[in-house]
Amino acid sequence: MQGLDFDRLQPIGMTPAQAQSLAALCFTPTGIDRTPARVIEVHRETLVLHDGAAPFTARPHPRLLLDLASARDALAVGDWVACERDVQGTPWVVARAAPLTQIVRRDADGLRHVVVSNVDVAFLVMGLDADFNPRRIERYLALVQGASGGALAPVVELTKSDWAGDAVADDEADALRARLGP
């Protein structure tokens, strides 16, 4: 992996495929070594990143933001990025590795909004209390299955069975299984 500390990055989700694309961003022909990191929080003007050892705060470089905006894309939790430090030591996100998977939703104005990138499993959690809605689970499943060609594995988790009682919980789970299939 050309010097990427794969053992340090693997616990935060690095795969061999992602390591190859990230290595190309981190080791430039000019000799500038960039720090590989994963986005764990997105705020308005800053990002919280994790480099496999500890979290740290960085800002996205304006050039990167412009490039992503022109492609109608944005940074999201789960993205793998390359960081450089300026002369004051401030970290800047200067590049993003192409995501392998993304969950994307449409905003009210019809534009794409990336919810999360580079995840393998999506847990869809719903309580069996008064807020239980099988149609909502179907919409969430459609969102997950439409993400990156269905590369994500959805897991439906039903909670609060103690509120509903065992008989109602079993009936609701059976009805959901009949509606959704295996």
Side-chain angles (χ1 to χ4, degrees):
M1 307 304 151
Q2 293 187 348
L4 281 183
D5 189 351
F6 188 79
D7 291 335
R8 189 186 81 218
L9 298 172
Q10 188 177 20
I12 59 172
M14 177 64 70
T15 64
Q18 291 164 329
Q20 286 181 338
S21 63
L22 193 57
L25 296 175
C26 288
F27 302 103
T28 62
T30 59
I32 299 173
D33 281 349
R34 297 173 173 167
T35 304
R38 190 160 196 192
V39 178
I40 60 174
E41 292 179 32
V42 176
H43 300 284
R44 286 190 180 148
E45 307 228 348
T46 60
L47 304 166
V48 178
L49 309 175
H50 202 293
D51 64 0
F56 63 97
T57 303
R59 295 189 61 188
H61 195 277
R63 166 72 96 205
L64 176 62
L65 291 176
L66 184 63
D67 291 345
L68 290 172
S70 68
R72 296 185 183 256
D73 204 353
L75 291 167
V77 169
D79 277 329
W80 288 97
V81 296
C83 300
E84 287 180 11
R85 293 194 179 267
D86 62 14
V87 292
Q88 288 85 21
T90 305
W92 290 87
V93 174
V94 295
R96 178 188 76 169
L100 299 179
T101 60
Q102 286 185 319
I103 295 179
V104 179
R105 67 175 174 83
R106 296 274 179 192
D107 284 336
D109 56 2
L111 296 176
R112 296 180 59 221
H113 175 75
V114 180
V115 178
V116 66
S117 296
N118 297 315
V119 294
D120 300 325
V121 178
F123 286 91
L124 309 175
V125 181
M126 180 169 285
L128 290 168
D129 55 358
D131 195 35
F132 179 72
N133 185 340
R135 289 182 304 278
R136 187 179 312 135
I137 288 286
E138 285 179 330
R139 288 193 304 270
Y140 292 162
L141 278 171
L143 182 70
V144 169
Q145 290 171 338
S148 299
L152 296 174
V155 175
V156 176
E157 178 74 25
L158 301 176
T159 64
K160 299 184 183 178
S161 62
D162 56 332
W163 282 42
D166 290 338
V168 173
D170 290 341
D171 289 345
E172 294 288 5
D174 289 341
L176 191 59
R177 271 190 215 94
R179 188 175 186 129
L180 300 177

